[in-house]
Amino acid sequence: EPDDLTGRSLFDLVVPADRPTLDLHLRAARAGEPGAAFTLGVNDRRGEHRRLEVSLVFESSQAGRIHGIAHDVTERHALAREVAERSRELKTTRVHGERLRELVSLTIQAQEEERARIAGDLHDTTVQTLTAIGRRLRSLAGGAPDDIAASLAELGDAALAEAEEVRRLSRNLRPSVLDHLGLTAALENLAAELRDLGLEVSLDVDSNTNLDDRSRTTLFRAA
């Protein structure tokens, strides 16, 4: 619960074995390196061990504050352990190859569905709320006295910048264009983002090829 967490040191929440990992990613975030999702172990108030997938973003405009999104992936890790156990069992059977592919496919499918759900929640709620707040603050700044107009404008810009960052995280989890417009559009967007980073990208797609959702997702993740 929020009251159990607010005001506590993040290092106190994480199990001792994962504290070096947390420290490494915090240092990377402060250095401005692109955030990468990583997992940490925590114990809840009932003493049960949970695994969290964490993404960190360094917000230089807010006095060095680090924002984080954590998602409980305990069940996914349990499923991964089950897959590993099943894999060891299947090595002794003639159907090892087909069964293993099925288990891996189901795991990947579950991950993609989870990514799509989280990405949708971020885009439909968090991004929209932050955008509305930012625009409202900018609007208020236009009619406010000079002594507070600058502060309102700055807060508005910060909210809009944060909305864009959350939108980026949402796209990285599961780009909505892949589901709504297909693989070609998703790859074109990916290529455009890479070109914005200064990379030379060449894209050649056979847009007439009909693929199912799993194949589209696989090809996009490979790209």
Side-chain angles (χ1 to χ4, degrees):
E1 297 295 335
D3 289 343
D4 296 331
L5 303 176
T6 303
R8 294 180 60 186
S9 168
L10 188 56
F11 284 91
D12 291 338
L13 299 173
V14 176
V15 296
D18 287 344
R19 289 171 187 170
T21 299
L22 174 60
D23 182 67
L24 179 66
H25 283 275
L26 286 173
R27 291 175 183 272
R30 292 191 183 98
E33 297 179 12
F38 59 100
T39 60
L40 293 174
V42 300
N43 293 318
D44 64 20
R45 59 181 174 176
R46 294 184 298 272
E48 296 178 359
H49 184 73
R50 311 295 296 179
R51 298 297 298 180
L52 302 180
E53 185 177 81
V54 182
S55 296
L56 299 178
V57 177
F58 183 74
E59 184 57 60
S60 58
S61 64
Q62 296 198 14
R65 179 177 296 176
I66 293 180
H67 297 276
I69 296 177
H71 183 63
D72 191 334
V73 293
T74 305
E75 294 181 1
R76 184 198 301 174
H77 275 256
L79 179 59
R81 289 194 300 269
E82 182 181 349
V83 170
E85 293 173 1
R86 293 285 183 87
S87 297
R88 288 192 293 269
E89 296 172 359
L90 290 174
K91 286 180 180 179
T92 61
T93 68
R94 290 178 299 176
V95 296
H96 164 63
E98 184 176 349
R99 290 287 303 277
L100 181 58
R101 284 193 296 271
E102 180 182 356
L103 285 169
V104 172
S105 177
L106 289 174
T107 302
I108 294 174
Q109 182 179 353
Q111 290 176 344
E112 288 296 334
E113 291 173 355
E114 185 177 57
R115 285 171 177 264
R117 180 183 63 80
I118 298 172
D121 289 345
L122 287 174
H123 184 272
D124 295 339
T125 57
T126 308
V127 170
Q128 303 301 328
T129 300
L130 286 171
T131 300
I133 291 173
R135 290 175 177 172
R136 179 58 176 164
L137 287 169
R138 281 184 172 180
S139 176
L140 291 173
D146 293 341
D147 56 341
I148 63 172
S151 296
L152 288 174
E154 182 179 352
L155 288 173
D157 291 342
L160 292 174
E162 192 67 16
E164 184 58 34
E165 180 61 29
V166 175
R167 185 180 286 110
R168 183 188 66 80
L169 291 173
S170 174
R171 287 199 305 267
N172 288 343
L173 282 170
R174 174 77 181 188
S176 60
V177 67
L178 180 62
D179 298 317
H180 297 152
L181 299 180
L183 178 63
T184 300
L187 291 175
E188 288 173 348
N189 276 11
L190 180 62
E193 290 179 1
L194 294 175
R195 293 189 185 104
D196 289 341
L197 296 175
L199 298 176
E200 294 185 5
V201 180
S202 176
L203 179 64
D204 182 13
V205 180
D206 179 3
S207 59
N208 296 319
T209 302
N210 294 321
L211 299 170
D212 57 30
D213 179 66
R214 184 173 299 181
S215 299
R216 288 197 302 270
T217 299
T218 301
L219 289 173
F220 179 77
R221 290 299 180 198

